[in-house]
């Protein structure tokens, strides 16, 4: 699978999580550097981008390819397409087409079970799935976990980015616990004090994870008055 995403939109973390659940064995992360050096926004994010690129190899176990020009990227894609075509034209495929899948975890478990039974060097088989099944299972609008739904709900609040939402979700776990934090654990506080609870709770966070007062108040307006 070829993976391209926009780091500044938070796609990097989100897509890594989705790819982990996909069960895909070989993922190539392509970085096209042409024209990037002249972009002021890119220069500001250079350190974060370099760190993320390093994580692709060391933490995420993905294959990384960096290109200078768009033409180089196209040439690589063409070459890879021909290699895959030649490889799979000689291979017998076991296509997994489940009638019902209730969760991403169930889908991944099913795929792993089939691979353990059929997908090995002694047999000329490979377990695969149809594109519609893959799309339905990993689509952003389908089969989301409570964690993913909670993060998306938090991100709908003004000032709460993906990084901030992940910090909040990791601490509270579920929407109910966040609501209870306002309405039960801190019910004796005034409205203004409740508005600053989240910024004080995560005041040790740094960089993009730090939650300022405005975002904290906006979060209280959305979640603390339910």
């Amino acid at each position: 699978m070829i993976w391209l995403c926009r780091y500044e939109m938070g796609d990097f973390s989100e897509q890594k999580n989705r790819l982990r659940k996909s069960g895909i064995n070989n993922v190539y992360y392509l970085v096209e550097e042409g024209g990037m050096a002249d972009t002021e926004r890119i220069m500001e994010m250079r350190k974060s981008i370099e760190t993320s690129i390093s994580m692709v190899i060391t933490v995420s176990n993905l294959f990384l390819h960096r290109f200078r020009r768009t033409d180089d990227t196209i040439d690589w894609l063409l070459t890879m397409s021909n290699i895959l075509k030649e490889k799979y034209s000689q291979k017998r495929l076991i296509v997994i087409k489940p009638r019902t899948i209730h969760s991403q975890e169930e889908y991944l478990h099913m795929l792993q079970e089939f691979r353990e039974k059929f997908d090995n060097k002694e047999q000329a088989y490979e377990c695969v799935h149809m594109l519609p099944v893959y799309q339905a299972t990993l689509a952003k609008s389908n089969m989301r976990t409570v964690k993913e739904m909670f993060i998306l709900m938090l991100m709908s609040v003004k000032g709460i980015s993906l990084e901030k939402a992940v910090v909040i979700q990791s601490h509270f776990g579920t929407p109910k616990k966040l609501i209870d934090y306002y309405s039960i654990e801190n019910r004796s506080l005034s409205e203004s004090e409740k508005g600053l609870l989240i910024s004080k709770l995560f005041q040790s966070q740094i960089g993009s994870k730090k939650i300022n007062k405005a975002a904290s108040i906006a979060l209280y307006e959305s979640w603390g008055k339910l």
Side-chain angles (χ1 to χ4, degrees), residues 44-212:
E44 292 175 358
M45 299 173 60
R46 187 174 185 84
K47 186 174 182 180
S48 296
I49 292 174
E50 289 295 335
T51 299
S52 298
I53 289 175
S54 298
M55 289 175 62
V56 167
I57 303 173
T58 59
V59 179
S60 304
N61 295 320
L62 307 179
F63 297 102
L64 176 70
H65 284 276
R66 303 176 75 161
F67 302 99
R68 290 289 183 184
R69 304 176 304 147
T70 301
D71 288 346
D72 296 333
T73 306
I74 294 173
D75 289 341
W76 184 89
L77 290 171
L78 179 61
T79 301
M80 179 58 69
S81 297
N82 291 332
I83 291 173
L84 292 174
K85 182 178 179 180
E86 181 178 353
K87 175 183 177 180
Y88 287 103
S89 64
Q90 306 296 324
K91 205 171 188 69
R92 300 182 67 181
L93 304 179
I94 297 179
V95 182
I96 301 173
K97 295 190 290 185
R99 294 182 179 178
T100 57
I101 302 176
H102 298 98
S103 68
Q104 294 176 343
E105 288 74 17
E106 180 184 352
Y107 162 80
L108 181 57
H109 179 69
M110 183 186 303
L111 183 60
Q112 289 172 339
E113 279 191 333
F114 269 78
R115 282 177 174 167
E116 289 176 3
K117 186 173 182 179
F118 298 104
D119 194 354
N120 56 65
K121 294 181 180 179
E122 297 178 358
Q123 303 182 56
Y125 296 107
E126 183 162 340
C127 297
V128 297
H129 43 262
M130 302 293 287
L131 180 60
V133 175
Y134 170 79
Q135 290 176 323
T137 307
L138 298 177
K140 294 183 179 181
S141 58
N142 292 331
M143 296 187 184
R144 289 193 177 114
T145 63
V146 173
K147 174 182 177 180
E148 292 168 336
M149 286 298 297
F150 189 15
I151 289 174
L152 289 173
M153 292 165 71
L154 290 168
M155 289 174 63
S156 67
V157 178
K158 185 177 181 180
I160 303 298
S161 63
L162 174 63
E163 291 81 4
K164 294 179 176 65
V166 170
V167 169
I168 297 170
Q169 188 282 325
S170 297
H171 180 83
F172 290 102
T174 64
K176 184 179 185 302
K177 289 184 178 180
L178 175 58
I179 295 171
D180 290 347
Y181 179 70
Y182 285 117
S183 61
I184 298 177
E185 295 180 36
N186 295 283
R187 59 178 176 272
S188 61
L189 298 181
S190 65
E191 293 284 306
S192 59
E193 289 175 321
K194 288 181 180 179
L196 300 178
L197 278 173
I198 297 299
S199 63
K200 291 181 178 179
L201 181 63
F202 300 111
Q203 60 184 348
S204 62
Q205 296 292 334
I206 60 175
S208 60
K209 296 181 179 181
K210 191 172 184 64
I211 301 172
N212 59 33

Side-chain angles (χ1 to χ4, degrees), residues 18-59:
R18 294 174 65 214
L19 284 168
R20 179 180 56 81
K21 297 177 181 178
S22 72
I24 295 175
N25 288 327
N26 301 304
V27 179
Y28 291 84
Y29 184 80
L30 308 186
V31 178
E32 191 173 291
E33 300 174 339
M36 290 176 61
D38 298 326
T39 305
E40 183 178 348
R41 174 63 173 161
I42 294 297
M43 292 303 292
E44 292 175 358
M45 299 173 60
R46 187 174 185 84
K47 186 174 182 180
S48 296
I49 292 174
E50 289 295 335
T51 299
S52 298
I53 289 175
S54 298
M55 289 175 62
V56 167
I57 303 173
T58 59
V59 179

